[in-house]
Amino acid sequence: FCLGESAILSIVGWICTMPVIVLASRLCPEGMEGTMYALIMSINNLGGIIGSQLGAVLTVYLGVTEKNMDNFWLLVFICNIS
């Protein structure tokens, strides 16, 4: 289940990113499409890294461990609304 969900979320993420890439390639100067794509992907990757790190910090802050799941519901709620 987890692997399937991860694959589906990855595919949906790429589908959602495609309009931004197409629009950026049309708006950028001639010959700069590759640079614009690299910039968009760099920003996308940086956002993923920052999001993962903030999730880890939030997990520690809420005290969620494998033995203490008291605030797990709050962690899931915060992650889903962000």
Side-chain angles (χ1 to χ4, degrees), residues 24-68:
S25 69
R26 289 185 181 171
L27 294 176
C28 70
E30 183 83 21
M32 296 291 292
E33 295 88 0
T35 303
M36 187 61 69
Y37 179 78
L39 178 66
I40 291 171
M41 289 298 103
S42 297
I43 292 170
N44 188 23
N45 290 336
L46 180 64
I49 292 169
I50 290 173
S52 296
Q53 295 302 314
L54 287 176
V57 168
L58 188 60
T59 302
V60 170
Y61 177 75
L62 292 174
V64 176
T65 63
E66 60 187 29
K67 295 180 182 172
N68 182 12

Side-chain angles (χ1 to χ4, degrees), residues 58-79:
L58 188 60
T59 302
V60 170
Y61 177 75
L62 292 174
V64 176
T65 63
E66 60 187 29
K67 295 180 182 172
N68 182 12
M69 301 291 250
D70 294 337
N71 290 329
F72 184 67
W73 69 271
L74 183 59
L75 177 65
V76 171
F77 179 74
I78 292 171
C79 289

